[in-house]
Amino acid sequence: ADESRPATDGDKWVGRSTERVQDTRLLTGQGRYVADLADADTLHAAILRSPHAHARIRRIDTSAARAMPGVAQVLTGAEAAEFSHPLPPTIDIGMRMNKSHAIAVDKVRYHGEPVAAVAAIDPYIAEDALAKIVVDYEVLEPVVDIDQALADDAPRLYEDWPDNRCLEYQFSDGPLDQAFAEAAHTVVAEIPHHRYTAVPMEGRVALAHYWSSEGRLTLRLSTQNPHQCRTLLAQTLDLPEARIEVICKDVGGGFGLKLQVDGEVIPCLLSMRTGRPVLWAETREENLLSGIHARDYRLTMEGAFDNDGRILGLRTHLLGNCGCDGTNRAAGAGQLLVGAFYFPGNYKVPAYSADVVGVVSNKAPYGAYRGYGKDIANHGIERFMNIAARQLGMDANELRRRNLVQPDEFPYEILTGPIYDSGDYPELLAMAEAGVDLAAFRKRQAEARAAGRYLGVGFAMMLEPAGGAVPNSIFNAYETATVRMMPQGDFLLLTGMQDIGQGVETTLAQVVADEFSVTPDRINVVFGDTHGVPYGLGAWSSRGASFGVSAAVEAARKLARRMRAIGARMMECDTDAVTLRDGAVQRTDGVASLAFQNIGNAVSLWPGPHGIVPEGEEPNLEATATWTNPVVRWVPNDAGSLSIYATHPSGCFAVIVEVDADTGAIRVDRVYAAHDCGTVINPTIVNGQLHGGCVQGLGAVLGEELCYDEQGHLLNKGFWDYLIPQAPDVPNIEIGHLVCPSPNTPLGTKGMGEGGPVGIPAAVMNAVEDALSPLDVHLSELPLSPERVLAAIDAARSQ
Ligand code: MCN
């Protein structure tokens, strides 16, 4: 689309690839990142972290640290607990709960858990002071992996628990026993996944200032959800919520890491003690040690198929290693349930069961890394389809085609409760096959094989439930927006959504611009200030395109209706006889028009609204709307419940790789993503989301792994051995859009922010197995390091 054209009648900004509003700001060094806001009066926090995975704290001596010049405050967990409360649980899904403090009180339960904190006049003194703190630990036996956690004689993380299980959930529906008894083929597969984490460029950072004379806290925070963080902080710090202001401008990436408050509490505590502003900006080591971790599970999937390859039944068993705490700090365990709800994926599964166990262990807390269980479901079912096809002697995509939900079957309710709103899965698969020119690739593959080279292609369907919620929690299913017209005729959009780099500052302006028929530069999107915008829930679960956008659209429509009524009155005609066009209320007969500024001046300035605003209309130029999921329904289960997601975007990923069978190295040549997020607001932003997400998916499957030793020590604490993809590792990523609008949202939009990391891992594994099919290699463990690939080749050769 041509961005330079002015918006005139019929010209919509939705669908246009405009540049992101923040790009000029960020690329010219004018980003408003928290760590840059420290001034001369700011104290710097440093956190002493446990070197042990599991230990009792016998004694802490902070006297030498306190005596250091430049040290303003030293705080132990026991001291902090005297004037603050444990971190409140972020969700309640019927799990076992424990009490966790931001600084450990009497016991540490993971390597890297905070045991004390220092505030000093500069970060170096703060760091040096940590070395002077003496902690006397009684080291305890750690619980590192799932089997250890489940062993009868396992040490318990929480003494008052009967064992280390934190979550148990069973579901079964449909004639499962019959399905397996009558099946022509049954397939069992083990599909494990390793632990890795979100590594945004900007780590967690908080600048707290407690104004003791007023009992007021101003917190500048890098966060995905300022209001929810405020709610949690009010409980932890025992402060009235209205006296806490959380301000968040630019965020250097969140990916789920910045949805909770944990370490972020510490600078608040230090500021409450000193009355001075305190900055904590985590190091990369702290990010890897104690940021939320994700995945780390074992999945067994059993499928019953008829003679034609149709799925008759599916049984799933999921064991998740939730790390220390499980859910209080980071709502992590809920993702196991999301996985269990969605294992059927894009397919028709007439009988289904899920059996989920989550355990706590002495690893870092489990959290909501981009995907939140959709990754578990997708990786499980899409690996399973390939494994099953191989066993059935069928082409994997043919097996997919025979089982996909068909386009005329929407809305399609799966057995666990969710309702898929829209889509065309067979078309997505066809687009992905065409996108990589499958027939031509097979020829190229055969030629390469003849020359001793191993090329492969892998596919994975992708289902990305977007806009979910957890009942009894801060993670809910609504969003609120206020649209306000200024006297000059330009607009403010106040939203509880948060721009974290995903671009809502731009796209929200586009959708609101269309409602008033103005250019998006007349919409100033305001977010990230809990005292300035309506209570809202922020950016997670790819909820912006449903909740955030729809609330903005509804608020704009409300105000546009009022502006039409006022304009019609001023022009002495019926409301039906006017329309909004080119920044004016225009009579449709062309006789008169009123620029928005005239209405703005008339209502907001002297002589004020009286006489101008028709009776029954609010006498102001401001409208607020809350949009909630029209299909909201809590999926009940013994372990609590999750809401049905507002939309179900989908896709199909195709990946082409080349594997060096001598070194085990994998090169990813090409990625094609066929994708459906309904009405696309901004194609450049959506493509950027998919590009970034695909790269995260490649990181997950090829290199990123949090490695713990037997004592529960994290071994890789920097990017030298925590291997994120580098630019040369990233292939050409092409995207094809299929638009099946959602019937649930006013514009037909569906969320899409998590699709890349959800869809890529299975596609890459399937591609590597395809490449190595002449050697009959089976892959299981992730990530696919050269060593693992070589081991799989060796195992195949020795069969
Ligand atoms: N969009 C669009 N048309 C659609 C759907 C979406 O133009 N039909 C646009 C949206 O307006 C938004 C972006 O695409 O600018 C993603 O939208 P959506 O899927 O609604 O996701 P949210 O706005 O709710 O953002 C959260 C989502 C999640 S859950 C994670 S995690 C994530 C992500 O977005 N973290 C990110 N993308 C990220 N991108 C960056 N750069 N940094 C992160 O931390």
Side-chain angles (χ1 to χ4, degrees), residues 396-585:
N397 283 356
E398 183 51 32
L399 184 64
R400 291 188 166 90
R401 259 186 285 277
R402 290 187 188 182
N403 288 288
L404 288 173
V405 174
Q406 296 299 305
D408 58 0
E409 291 175 310
F410 293 100
Y412 185 84
E413 184 169 344
I414 60 170
L415 289 179
T416 47
I419 301 168
Y420 299 177
D421 52 305
S422 56
D424 187 341
Y425 304 155
E427 178 60 19
L428 288 167
L429 179 52
M431 282 170 70
E433 287 182 337
V436 291
D437 198 346
L438 187 56
F441 172 78
R442 289 292 179 210
K443 270 177 77 182
R444 203 150 55 85
Q445 183 183 39
E447 287 159 14
R449 275 183 190 161
R453 287 171 57 204
Y454 296 93
L455 306 190
V457 64
F459 292 83
M461 295 300 300
M462 192 276 296
L463 184 80
E464 187 192 351
V470 188
N472 308 321
S473 85
I474 54 171
F475 298 103
N476 218 316
Y478 72 88
E479 192 55 68
T480 303
T482 297
V483 177
R484 184 182 297 157
M485 193 172 87
M486 305 284 106
Q488 260 188 353
D490 56 342
F491 297 83
L492 282 181
L493 170 71
L494 310 173
T495 174
M497 279 299 298
Q498 181 66 37
D499 201 309
I500 53 172
Q502 91 282 35
V504 288
E505 190 178 354
T506 306
T507 48
L508 288 173
Q510 284 178 264
V511 301
V512 172
D514 278 351
E515 299 302 324
F516 296 109
S517 184
V518 294
T519 48
D521 58 357
R522 288 180 64 174
I523 316 293
N524 184 15
V525 178
V526 181
F527 58 89
D529 182 348
T530 51
H531 278 16
V533 301
Y535 196 101
L537 307 183
W540 42 272
S541 191
S542 303
R543 59 191 297 282
S546 47
F547 297 108
V549 162
S550 305
V553 168
E554 298 292 354
R557 287 184 179 169
K558 241 181 179 174
L559 180 57
R561 268 196 300 276
R562 191 177 311 149
M563 284 167 57
R564 289 213 330 270
I566 296 169
R569 184 176 179 120
M570 289 171 74
M571 291 186 285
E572 299 178 339
C573 63
D574 283 347
T575 305
D576 292 346
V578 299
T579 181
L580 303 190
R581 206 152 105 185
D582 297 342
V585 184

Side-chain angles (χ1 to χ4, degrees), residues 324-347:
C324 156
D325 202 287
T327 195
N328 274 32
R329 291 182 225 232
Q335 63 200 303
L336 299 173
L337 295 186
V338 175
F341 292 161
Y342 282 103
F343 278 126
N346 305 67
Y347 307 103

Side-chain angles (χ1 to χ4, degrees), residues 46 48 57 59-69 71-80 103-104 115-119 126 128-136 270 273:
L48 183 69
I57 301 170
R59 208 174 63 88
I60 303 185
D61 182 354
T62 57
S63 51
R66 281 180 208 277
M68 275 179 67
V71 169
Q73 185 64 231
V74 181
L75 205 56
T76 65
E79 288 161 350
I103 308 177
V115 288
V118 171
D128 288 350
L130 296 185
K132 305 255 184 203
I133 300 175
V134 182
V135 186
D136 181 10
L270 290 167
R273 271 296 168 96

